[in-house]
Amino acid sequence: MSLIVQKFGGTSVGSIERIRNVAARAIAAQKAGHQVVVTVSAMSGETNRLVAMVEALTPSYNKREYDVVVSAGEQISIGLLAIAIDAMGAKARSYLGWQVRFLTDNIHSKARIQEIESDRIRKDLDEGYIVVVAGFQGVTDAGDVTTLGRGGSDTSAVALAAALKADLCDIYTDVDGVYTTDPRIEPKARKMDRISYDEMLEMASLGAKVLQTRSVELAKKYSVPVRVLSSLEEGTGTLLTVEDQTMEKVLVSAIAYNNNEAKITIIGVPDSPGVAASIFGTLAGANINVDMIIQNVSAGQLTDLTFTVPKADFKQTMDILKQSVKTIGARDVTGDTNIAKISAIGVGMRSHSGVAQKMFKALADERINIQMISTSEIKISVVIDEKYTELAVRTLHSAFELDKERGDSVGG
Ligand code: ADP
Ligand code: ASP
Ligand code: MG
């Protein structure tokens, strides 16, 4: 008998009718002979509503209490789903993160799963239950509720699949697979039948919110077979797999964008050893993830340091830096939240050159100015003015001919 983990996102559990649809899918999988664990997110819009209430109280809220509030949406959806399964004649049991025990670290609002105690789930499965587990949440050693960052129920599902050594982890969402870019921005985007873990990892970390980055890291680390597919229509979706030779033939396989970052510049930084270490050390100490970093020579013995941080951490970062600027003797700190990062991703870049040139030229032809650039083995990212996000995505998607029919690694 095989064990499958199914994950359903917000839209898929967004109404009573949709919850019945999820219940039917779980029951069908059980009837087909599988043991079934279902992880769900909150009903669509619910987590945003909870976050908005917290932010309405104060911009610098206590993160432990934020987790208490925003983890609440999943409690409703697991209970409703278990009731729906039960009403349709199968056995179901729902669990919150602390009950199954998704043990996490204590970095509230972006906790990382350390261990999952799965004994209770296994016992239920052996007794014929469909087990319904709340996504997005965990508990610290001390018993405090944590959340895993927005989109975190993907990670709950993959972590659970790894812990239970599941045969498959199906991520059901509101699109029928992973596309060459966000199909909501570029209708000509094409669904991929397969994608390598590495490309998916870059896509997720560069903004493709179809999977949370951490879920792909875990899938790769524990070789969890993950499929992304639609909860609303039948189809084979997209399978995450190890890279093969056909994939390398494709120069660029996807375009991603992220407009959830902000750009910060520290002006007139003393050009001496240890200054960058001190600035970024302070930010790391506050659990702020700094992304692209560039350093420019400015007048005299001074430099400018520009980097990006998540928009959610922008205010806290500015507050911290206003203090650090004084201690390190820099001139000023400025911020810009109206930026977007656009990235071209492809394992084929390892063995081909010319991608950067093509990318910069395509953007220049549309008169889109590039503010920052960063590259790695399989991606190139640029920061631009946020108002050109959609134009840049479509321009690059067509410049790299992603709308065209391909060999067997991409298709659909
Ligand atoms: P869920 O609530 O099911 O977790 P999400 O909204 O988190 O769903 O993720 C699905 C969304 O991801 C899609 O509706 C789509 O707009 C977006 N998306 C961004 N990039 C891509 C991509 N390359 N392929 C597919 N979907 C993408
Ligand atoms: N409900 C959470 C969120 O909206 C988790 C998730 O959707 O995966 O971020
Ligand atoms: Mg999601």
Side-chain angles (χ1 to χ4, degrees), residues 276-311:
S278 143
I279 294 170
F280 295 117
T282 314
L283 296 180
N287 294 306
I288 294 167
N289 290 326
V290 173
D291 186 25
M292 290 163 94
I293 304 176
I294 55 172
Q295 182 173 327
N296 286 328
V297 183
S298 67
Q301 290 300 307
L302 301 175
T303 68
D304 291 347
L305 259 182
T306 302
F307 54 91
T308 60
V309 295
K311 260 185 199 163

Side-chain angles (χ1 to χ4, degrees), residues 151-165:
S153 47
D154 298 327
T155 301
S156 311
V158 175
L160 206 47
L164 292 165
K165 301 195 168 52

